[in-house]
Amino acid sequence: MMSNVQAVTILLVEDDPGHARLIEKNLRRANITNQIMQAGDGQQAIDYLFKEGRYAGSPHDPPLLVLLDLNLPVLNGYQVLKRMKEDPSTRRIPVIMLTTTDDAREITKCYDLGCNVYITKPVDYQHFSDAIRKIGLFLSVVSIPGGGY
Amino acid sequence: MELTSVYLTEELAALRQRVAELEASEAVRRRVEAELRGRAYQQAMIAKLGQRALAGGDLDPLLDEITVLVTLTLKVDYCQILELHPDRDLLRLRAGSGWPAELIGQATINADPNTHLGYTLFSSKPVIIEDLRTDPRFNESGQLYGHKLVSGVSVIVDGQQWPFGVLSVHTAHKRKFTQDDIYFLQSVANILGTTADHRRTQLALQDANDKLEQRVKERTADLQAANEELRNFAYIISHDLRAPLVNIKGFAGELDYSVDILRAALNPILPQLDDTHRDDLMTAIGQDIPEALDFINSSVSRMNSLINAILKLSRLGRRELLFEAIDMTVLVQDTLASLAHQVEQTRTVVMVDPLPEVVADRTSMEQILGNLLANALNYLIPSRPGQITISGQASPEAITFRISDNGRGIAQDDLSKIFDIFRRAGQQDVPGEGMGLAYVRTLVRRHGGQIHCESELEVGSTFIFTIACNLAEESEHDV
């Protein structure tokens, strides 16, 4: 379904393996077949996005979309978001914040830093599934700028 | 002629005598007049000093003024005020006239009783020195800081607890001091002693005040830190405690899906199994697993609602308040209108006294009244018509509101815990999470007020809360 765009990978930055698994399962249920790249902390996400550290010289394309948690080890979600939105090579990649916090100030801060959507992970699993499915729906219609770098 | 001459001579002698007498009495009169003038002048100086001392302010300018005044009034070469060191072994030249400026505040002398200054500290009377060099009481050269001193008077400047020091005057030549001079110096020393004592008390008071203020500051900082900790706590609850719940609930949901798949797959092969296996399988898939998942789900939901309640409480403590004038009578009537159905059902008579206006946050007042009135209606005794009275009273510091009911009441032992989170008292026949009064107390505190409850079982409860006046001018109250 995404054959006509270059970027095919979804970067999922999530330190809770349970959450990561639930997100992945629900994306698959929403017929999202893209490769899902998982990063367990903010530094790994930065390394992947900017081909630094362990990803130095890696030939991978930039991701189609970043799903980003806020509370992360090493570098937190704000730091990843800020770096992405400041850098011309990554600032156009859509970023969906996906976190357990529904604090108004944090939501505002993320939008100020340039996130595209802020979603609070609902404790109710039906709502959780619905939210992820809607991301899937969003993904099926989203167009990203071609060319990337 | 002879007789006349004798007579005249006698007359002349008498006349001369008389003139001499008159001249003498005129001299006495002049001397007495001069003395009186001098005494009046000295008394005027004492009065002036007394006024200066009463005016307050720093001690040093007063000391300087005293030394100058004494020097001029007693026409002496030196006047000095020496302050006794707390260790009582040193006297420091605190103020002086006739001395080089660099000595003032610097020069010290041992408070040795063999010197006239040290001796003065132990003398209840003024110490009068005709010639310092030859005075048998002292072992002194007549030199002080390189200046020659001959005659002098020194008096102790006494205080209530310990002496302030010594006031003394000196001349570089021999001089006899009059009783008036000595009285004058003693009076100045008395004024100085009282003033120094007063200043000392003021300083001690100021010091105590400063320390108290410092302690208040420290306590405030502690409280602010505790508040900050509570705010972080709320954040931790919202994020860190929710995260595992998402997993528990999520994977329970996944298990549910898997059970559905299993059930669908097993249905066609069930008839092929023997009875025992079939029954076990059907019990596991049809009852045990769904029951376990139901318990997991309902417990997680309960935990989630507890977390949400704590979060709400912390948000009430942080929300920005907008203070405005509120007609509480109208607000109470509006709240009652929203509860009209319950008022009617419980056959409740509500009496609202004219209530004072408050300056407060409207949303908070709505929540406070809403909670308290709903409670009053929820916990009535069904067998008798309800009766609720709302009254208010204004004082310069705060406005007090009372909400009384004739409901089931609260046991004395429970009264202290009803404002705590998740605490409910009495029979649990009305749904609720035990947070209502905790929210109310948080909101009342943010209005600089307090809330408490007076209650008697089977008779009724009265909730009394205050809202501080002048809230709009004050900075926001932290919870």
Side-chain angles (χ1 to χ4, degrees):
Chain A
M1 64 186 289
M2 297 282 174
S3 55
N4 57 338
V5 283
Q6 289 177 318
V8 289
T9 307
I10 294 169
L11 176 62
L12 173 59
V13 194
E14 172 65 76
D15 67 320
D16 186 319
H19 289 201
R21 185 81 183 104
L22 291 174
I23 292 165
E24 191 182 353
K25 275 177 171 286
N26 282 285
L27 283 174
R28 296 293 178 232
R29 273 195 202 106
N31 295 321
I32 298 301
T33 54
N34 304 57
Q35 188 200 345
I36 296 173
M37 170 64 207
Q38 278 187 35
D41 63 62
Q43 186 60 56
Q44 198 190 337
I46 290 287
D47 286 350
Y48 182 81
L49 284 162
F50 297 95
K51 297 184 179 178
E52 294 167 0
R54 75 200 92 167
Y55 294 104
S58 164
H60 66 262
D61 285 330
L64 166 72
L65 173 83
V66 177
L67 292 171
L68 184 59
D69 194 6
L70 265 185
N71 274 40
L72 294 165
V74 197
L75 292 176
N76 65 30
Y78 296 121
Q79 290 167 304
V80 175
L81 179 61
K82 190 164 183 286
R83 173 88 193 266
M84 280 185 74
K85 292 302 170 183
E86 277 171 1
D87 195 299
S89 70
T90 50
R91 71 164 176 240
R92 293 195 182 90
I93 302 172
V95 177
I96 296 178
M97 305 305 296
L98 195 56
T99 180
T100 39
T101 315
D102 57 358
D103 190 292
R105 287 169 306 177
E106 314 228 328
I107 297 173
T108 308
K109 191 172 170 187
C110 287
Y111 279 114
D112 285 348
L113 285 173
C115 90
N116 301 77
V117 182
Y118 187 105
I119 297 171
T120 301
K121 291 174 194 161
V123 171
D124 184 284
Y125 191 52
Q126 195 55 52
H127 295 158
F128 184 93
S129 294
D130 288 349
I132 308 296
R133 275 166 215 255
K134 279 171 191 153
I135 295 173
L137 196 69
F138 166 77
L139 262 180
S140 67
V141 295
V142 75
S143 308
I144 64 150
Y149 293 94
Chain B
M1 193 66 202
E2 188 87 345
L3 265 177
T4 314
S5 157
V6 168
Y7 176 78
L8 276 174
T9 310
E10 280 177 4
E11 189 84 333
L12 203 62
L15 213 61
R16 276 195 189 123
Q17 172 76 22
R18 182 97 185 90
V19 168
E21 274 173 20
L22 273 172
E23 275 174 357
S25 77
E26 173 65 16
V28 168
R29 192 180 63 81
R30 274 196 202 127
R31 189 163 53 80
V32 168
E33 264 184 12
E35 267 175 30
L36 281 175
R37 263 203 306 276
R39 199 178 290 167
Y41 177 72
Q42 289 181 352
Q43 278 169 359
M45 287 302 115
I46 294 288
K48 190 181 159 191
L49 264 184
Q51 276 183 332
R52 261 299 272 114
L54 280 176
D58 277 349
L59 199 53
D60 282 314
L62 180 72
L63 298 182
D64 289 340
E65 213 167 296
I66 285 174
T67 56
V68 171
L69 208 96
V70 169
T71 307
L72 292 175
T73 308
L74 295 183
K75 300 187 177 65
V76 289
D77 302 309
Y78 307 101
C79 171
Q80 56 276 344
I81 298 166
L82 297 108
E83 186 179 5
L84 185 62
H85 190 267
D87 292 344
R88 305 198 178 201
D89 55 351
L90 268 187
L91 284 162
R92 184 182 298 274
L93 184 62
R94 180 87 187 257
S97 161
W99 301 100
E102 62 266 26
L103 287 180
I104 311 296
Q106 301 297 323
T108 56
I109 184 167
N110 277 327
D112 178 356
N114 289 318
T115 66
H116 75 284
L117 293 170
Y119 181 88
T120 308
L121 284 170
F122 297 94
S123 172
S124 54
K125 287 186 292 186
V127 177
I128 299 142
I129 304 142
E130 264 184 51
D131 192 331
L132 193 57
R133 296 164 295 187
T134 57
D135 198 312
R137 294 173 294 179
F138 315 120
N139 180 17
E140 282 184 73
S141 62
Q143 294 273 330
L144 185 62
Y145 312 133
H147 289 241
K148 191 180 105 184
L149 307 179
V150 180
S151 302
V153 184
S154 58
V155 289
I156 185 168
V157 180
D158 219 344
Q160 269 182 352
Q161 283 167 332
W162 72 88
F164 176 79
V166 174
L167 167 67
S168 65
V169 293
H170 291 284
T171 53
H173 304 283
K174 222 167 192 168
R175 145 104 178 254
K176 198 166 163 43
F177 288 94
T178 66
Q179 198 57 49
D180 279 351
D181 292 343
I182 295 158
Y183 284 153
F184 172 73
L185 202 65
Q186 180 70 67
S187 303
V188 172
N190 290 345
I191 290 176
L192 181 52
T194 313
T195 312
D197 250 2
H198 184 60
R199 293 290 193 284
R200 232 173 229 169
T201 315
Q202 274 184 328
L203 284 179
L205 201 66
Q206 181 66 45
D207 191 48
N209 272 338
D210 289 351
K211 277 187 185 138
L212 201 64
E213 212 165 292
Q214 184 58 33
R215 276 187 58 200
V216 169
K217 268 185 198 154
E218 283 166 10
R219 293 281 296 140
T220 311
D222 284 351
L223 282 174
Q224 274 166 351
N227 264 328
E228 190 52 39
E229 214 170 287
L230 272 177
R231 276 167 204 176
N232 289 340
F233 179 66
Y235 179 84
I236 288 164
I237 281 173
S238 73
H239 183 270
D240 295 14
L241 290 191
R242 265 185 186 168
L245 289 188
V246 169
N247 278 335
I248 299 172
K249 198 102 177 183
F251 285 101
E254 289 298 324
L255 274 179
D256 223 10
Y257 287 134
S258 304
V259 171
D260 284 348
I261 291 164
L262 268 178
R263 196 182 287 123
L266 282 172
N267 270 340
I269 56 166
L270 277 179
Q272 296 156 34
L273 297 173
D274 63 66
D275 285 357
T276 322
H277 277 119
R278 189 171 57 234
D279 286 352
D280 284 354
L281 255 177
M282 281 174 70
T283 310
I285 291 182
Q287 287 172 28
D288 291 351
I289 295 178
E291 185 192 44
L293 290 175
D294 277 353
F295 273 114
I296 292 172
N297 279 323
S298 62
S299 297
V300 171
S301 298
R302 171 90 188 115
M303 191 150 201
N304 191 38
S305 68
L306 294 180
I307 289 170
N308 287 340
I310 293 173
L311 261 179
K312 182 178 169 191
L313 187 69
S314 96
R315 283 187 184 140
L316 286 181
R318 282 200 320 232
R319 193 175 64 82
E320 205 177 314
L321 303 183
L322 295 169
F323 294 120
E324 57 178 301
I326 299 168
D327 185 334
M328 288 295 271
T329 313
V330 172
L331 198 63
V332 166
Q333 297 295 2
D334 288 352
T335 309
L336 286 169
S338 70
L339 297 163
H341 178 66
Q342 241 184 311
V343 172
E344 204 175 304
Q345 262 195 335
T346 51
R347 295 167 293 141
T348 300
V349 178
V350 184
M351 279 175 291
V352 185
D353 288 357
L355 299 175
E357 189 178 84
V358 294
V359 173
D361 177 68
R362 182 174 287 280
T363 312
S364 300
M365 290 302 117
E366 284 169 359
Q367 284 173 315
I368 292 169
L369 289 173
N371 267 293
L372 293 179
L373 288 173
N375 276 354
L377 287 165
N378 280 338
Y379 300 101
L380 288 168
I381 293 176
S383 59
R384 66 180 179 220
Q387 210 172 334
I388 296 175
T389 310
I390 300 138
S391 62
Q393 200 181 350
S395 84
E397 296 83 33
I399 295 155
T400 307
F401 294 97
R402 304 170 69 91
I403 298 178
S404 298
D405 63 59
N406 65 338
R408 57 173 77 161
I410 300 157
Q412 288 303 309
D413 288 349
D414 290 338
L415 275 179
S416 60
K417 71 173 191 184
I418 54 171
F419 297 101
D420 294 343
I421 59 171
F422 305 135
R423 289 287 170 274
R424 304 185 70 201
Q427 226 185 317
Q428 308 288 302
D429 53 350
V430 178
E433 53 185 2
M435 289 299 287
L437 289 176
Y439 296 147
V440 168
R441 183 174 63 178
T442 296
L443 292 170
V444 167
R445 282 182 177 169
R446 290 203 67 195
H447 285 77
Q450 287 175 324
I451 183 163
H452 74 280
C453 174
E454 293 163 4
S455 187
E456 197 179 328
L457 277 177
E458 308 295 322
V459 177
S461 304
T462 302
F463 283 85
I464 300 136
F465 69 94
T466 58
I467 300 294
C469 297
N470 309 320
L471 274 176
E473 292 112 75
E474 275 176 42
S475 64
E476 212 186 291
H477 287 76
D478 262 321
V479 175

